[in-house]
């Protein structure tokens, strides 16, 4: 018999106001592979029935628990009381490898063109991915994948 903790999703990937259907589709595929849940906070820069979204997500959406929220307030209202939410940002100083993730943590990412707004990222523990090169930031789907797989490594010991 499994404990409630072991039946919880590995992690929750949260996309705040995502703009690109292709990125969300790719994040959904990552969630499907990992057994993570995907949370989308409106407004979106696309429709979930867009051809680009369907092409990116392929048949992986069938294996993903998808949650949609009208806005940040709606998302917060539905969070479990003890939920841990980590904001991923280039403004953070703590590396994601030092987070000490536990099953059921929420990994929050901002929109592709602007990242999380200061009022939101400053209210939460912030993590960053190493970016030793010259680029401004990683692609959203890549960043979410790196973070989710690191959480899985920490939680499951892969």
């Amino acid at each position: 018999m499994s404990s409630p903790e072991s039946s919880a999703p590995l992690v929750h990937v949260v996309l705040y106001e995502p703009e690109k259907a292709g990125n969300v589709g790719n994040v959904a595929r990552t969630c499907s592979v990992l057994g993570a849940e995907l949370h989308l906070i409106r407004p979106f820069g696309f429709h979930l029935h867009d051809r680009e979204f369907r092409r990116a997500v392929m048949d992986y959406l069938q294996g993903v628990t998808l949650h949609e929220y009208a806005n940040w307030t709606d998302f917060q209202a539905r969070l479990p009381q003890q939920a841990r939410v980590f904001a991923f940002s280039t403004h953070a100083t703590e590396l994601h490898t030092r987070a000490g993730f536990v099953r059921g943590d929420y990994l929050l990412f901002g929109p592709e063109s602007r990242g999380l707004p200061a009022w939101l990222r400053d209210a939460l523990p912030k993590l960053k991915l190493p970016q030793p090169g010259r680029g401004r930031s990683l692609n959203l789907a890549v960043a979410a994948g790196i973070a989710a797989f690191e959480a899985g490594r920490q939680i499951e010991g892969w």
Side-chain angles (χ1 to χ4, degrees):
M1 182 184 264
S2 64
S3 69
E5 181 178 288
S6 66
S7 65
L10 181 69
V11 292
H12 299 265
V13 177
V14 184
L15 304 181
Y16 175 82
E17 300 183 359
E19 298 165 336
K20 308 265 186 226
N23 282 333
V24 176
N26 285 317
V27 172
R29 291 175 71 175
T30 298
C31 289
S32 175
V33 168
L34 288 176
E37 292 190 4
L38 179 58
H39 302 257
L40 303 177
I41 302 172
R42 291 188 181 277
F44 308 151
F46 61 93
H47 296 285
L48 290 178
H49 301 291
D50 281 355
R51 193 170 127 209
E52 182 183 354
F53 177 73
R54 287 193 322 267
R55 183 175 44 241
V57 77
M58 297 188 329
D59 63 342
Y60 288 93
L61 202 53
Q62 297 169 4
V64 176
T65 301
L66 176 66
H67 306 273
E68 294 179 58
Y69 305 91
N71 52 41
W72 177 254
T73 303
D74 182 29
F75 171 74
Q76 274 192 306
R78 294 198 254 164
L79 268 176
Q81 190 171 14
Q82 300 300 320
R84 295 183 349 150
V85 180
F86 294 94
F88 281 78
S89 172
T90 58
H91 299 276
T93 57
E94 186 76 21
L95 283 173
H96 72 299
T97 53
R98 299 177 184 236
F101 292 115
V102 298
R103 183 172 288 279
D105 279 349
Y106 289 75
L107 314 179
L108 173 65
F109 300 87
E112 293 90 329
S113 66
R114 61 191 186 280
L116 292 168
W119 64 266
L120 180 50
R121 73 172 179 260
D122 292 345
L124 298 167
K126 291 182 288 300
L127 299 173
K128 72 175 184 174
L129 301 172
Q131 295 182 179
R134 295 183 180 187
R136 193 174 38 133
S137 64
L138 291 168
N139 169 276
L140 174 62
V142 171
I146 290 169
F149 270 87
E150 173 59 19
R153 186 193 68 78
Q154 289 181 25
I155 295 163
E156 296 292 328
W158 302 329

